[in-house]
Amino acid sequence: MVTGTLALIPARGGSKSIPRKNIRAFRGHALIAWSIAAARESASVDRIVVTTDDEEIRDVAIACGADAPFLRPAELAQDDTTDLPVVQHAIHWLQQHEGFDPALIVQLRPTSPIRPRGLVDAAVARLCAEPSGHSLRAVTEAGQNPYKMWRMREEFLEPLMAHHSIEPYNLPRQALPSTYWQTGHIDVMRRATVDEGSLSGLSIVPLRVEPRFAADLDTEDQWEHAEWLAGRHRDDIVYPRRSLDDLQRYRLLALDFDGVLTDNRVIVHEDGGESVVCDRGDGLGLAALRARGFPVVVLSSETHPVVSARCRKLGIPCRQGLGDKGAALREYAAQLGVPLEDVIYVGNDVNDLECLRMAGLAVIPADAHPAVHAEADWTLSHAGGRGAVRELCDLLLGATVT
């Protein structure tokens, strides 16, 4: 029975322009992890499969949360191999060996990693809403209009495209038809279209993607620019989740105070004074971490003597009364020369969302507010003010043993 949606990620091992690019680190994550993360975010996808001819890529894909149940035959991993036989091979293998027979195939190319949140679900819904559509393709308005492009004909230039005007290349941009470039972010195709020998068919539904997300990775310059784009638009795009396997890479621990170093309760005394409850174990863990030379900072929206007193006792710098915690985190990390990808941030509530999205590793206590769970790379097993920070410190200490 043909049913369900397959996210298929093609990733051969023989890239020539940027060797091993599918598993090269892109802003701290293997490039393939970005496409896997976009598929994992989607509620529309039933199965995520990476098709590769390379064992190392297969292992990285599995570690990132995808399936890689087969190795693609070498003849389907050549420089001139087109997408169609690769997709057909994957579909037939899954049908024959596992009985999985998808009605829709979502192709996510690793070389277009900067995907806005919700893109996969939007694409699937858009095609399903167009019964006559054979496929869907992500596009953005072309930065350069092809009506102003040329090709060489012997020793002279010849217009690339015809137009109703005698000289379209001399017209202002506004007088020319709008043209669109396929971004490579996503293709969605019906199974029937593939069975008929095409990945697109004749009726192709467009899904417009903002130009700021468009990046293709074929050269080192493009790679460098795309990393800059991913950092600039971090809050709007799907970032891969970190695992605990690379804790040694981090160089700064930033903590919220209330709900992280405390149990989030405030005790109000008769005279109007306030006190909070902290965990001595958290303090011991932080002391051991700082003794290893690992920098720690507390960032708090509140301005209260109890925050200063606790941080002073722990020997930890703190910044209070922050209306913009994200700006404070950027500034402090920059002072230390630590890129945000190498920062761990621990927060528990909505005022921590920006920092959680910004940091390389987003960590929350077990009792964090539900609104922040979607942004967390890792949820601690202990609650705030009840050993959560000690749990994290112990793991960091174990990872930094030399």
Side-chain angles (χ1 to χ4, degrees):
M1 180 179 179
V2 179
T3 183
T5 299
L6 168 68
L8 190 64
I9 301 170
R12 70 187 185 97
S15 171
K16 298 294 192 297
S17 58
I18 303 177
R20 309 298 289 165
K21 69 179 175 183
N22 285 312
I23 52 175
R24 176 174 166 176
F26 181 85
R27 288 194 70 87
H29 302 270
L31 181 63
I32 196 173
W34 292 75
S35 294
I36 295 171
R40 294 185 69 185
E41 181 208 44
S42 170
S44 306
V45 168
D46 300 297
R47 186 83 186 275
I48 306 169
V49 170
V50 169
T51 168
T52 182
D53 61 315
D54 187 279
E55 292 186 2
E56 186 180 9
I57 293 176
R58 178 193 62 190
D59 293 344
V60 171
I62 293 171
C64 292
D67 294 330
F70 57 81
L71 284 176
R72 192 196 311 174
E75 61 267 24
L76 294 181
Q78 303 303 308
D79 291 344
D80 58 353
T81 301
T82 60
D83 288 342
L84 178 60
V86 173
V87 173
Q88 290 174 328
H89 170 266
I91 291 173
H92 294 154
W93 194 99
L94 292 169
Q95 181 183 26
Q96 180 180 356
H97 292 86
E98 300 184 3
F100 182 67
D101 203 5
L104 292 177
I105 299 93
V106 176
Q107 181 169 238
L108 299 169
R109 293 179 178 87
T111 48
S112 298
I114 307 173
R115 295 182 177 90
R117 296 171 185 270
L119 179 71
V120 175
D121 286 335
V124 171
R126 179 88 170 85
L127 180 59
C128 289
E130 295 285 352
S132 61
H134 297 150
S135 67
L136 173 143
R137 187 157 293 194
V139 296
T140 194
E141 192 161 358
Q144 300 294 329
N145 196 305
Y147 286 103
K148 289 182 175 289
M149 294 182 181
W150 306 83
R151 56 188 166 195
M152 301 291 292
R153 182 72 68 179
E154 296 179 351
E155 296 183 4
F156 298 96
L157 292 174
E158 179 179 278
L160 179 65
M161 299 180 67
H163 189 260
H164 58 78
S165 168
I166 296 175
E167 295 182 339
Y169 40 84
N170 288 330
L171 291 176
R173 174 181 56 83
Q174 294 83 355
L176 294 170
S178 295
T179 57
Y180 296 88
W181 171 60
Q182 60 185 40
T183 66
H185 283 106
I186 188 168
D187 303 321
V188 185
M189 58 215 76
R190 299 188 191 278
R191 171 63 181 276
T193 303
V194 178
D195 289 344
E196 291 171 4
S198 174
L199 293 185
S200 55
L202 298 177
S203 301
I204 305 171
V205 177
L207 181 71
R208 295 186 64 167
V209 176
E210 292 182 49
R212 64 192 176 114
F213 300 122
D216 198 15
L217 304 181
D218 285 325
T219 68
E220 291 291 345
D221 286 345
Q222 289 173 335
W223 188 286
E224 182 178 346
H225 180 65
E227 287 197 307
W228 176 82
L229 283 175
R232 180 178 178 84
H233 301 301
R234 168 149 191 167
D235 288 354
D236 302 320
I237 65 176
V238 181
Y239 249 73
R241 299 297 191 195
R242 298 275 191 190
S243 72
L244 302 187
D245 297 333
D246 56 357
L247 281 178
Q248 293 185 24
R249 64 165 292 143
Y250 298 104
R251 298 165 50 195
L252 171 64
L253 173 61
L255 306 167
D256 181 29
F257 188 77
D258 292 319
V260 173
L261 283 169
T262 79
D263 65 1
N264 219 22
R265 294 181 300 168
V266 177
I267 301 170
V268 182
H269 302 284
E270 291 181 357
D271 60 1
E274 296 180 353
S275 60
V276 297
V277 176
C278 300
D279 188 285
R280 289 188 182 276
D282 289 348
L284 291 172
L286 288 169
L289 196 63
R290 292 184 61 254
R292 291 272 182 88
F294 199 106
V296 181
V297 66
V298 168
L299 305 176
S300 178
S301 301
E302 298 290 329
T303 301
H304 198 282
V306 73
V307 180
S308 302
R310 182 59 176 163
C311 290
R312 187 165 52 249
K313 184 170 183 178
L314 296 174
I316 295 173
C318 70
R319 299 195 173 184
Q320 298 188 64
L322 299 174
D324 187 344
K325 295 175 77 170
L329 180 58
R330 285 192 191 92
E331 179 185 349
Y332 193 82
Q335 287 178 0
L336 297 183
V338 177
L340 291 171
E341 290 77 19
D342 294 343
V343 174
I344 301 173
Y345 184 82
V346 187
N348 75 306
D349 216 323
V350 292
N351 62 344
D352 296 306
L353 280 171
E354 184 180 4
C355 291
L356 289 167
R357 291 168 179 162
M358 183 187 306
L361 186 68
V363 180
I364 60 174
D367 60 341
H369 191 278
V372 301
H373 279 262
E375 305 299 333
D377 296 313
W378 177 25
T379 302
L380 296 161
S381 60
H382 291 76
R386 295 177 179 271
V389 172
R390 178 59 179 268
E391 178 185 344
L392 175 57
C393 289
D394 286 347
L395 286 166
L396 286 170
L397 290 164
T400 56
V401 171
T402 59

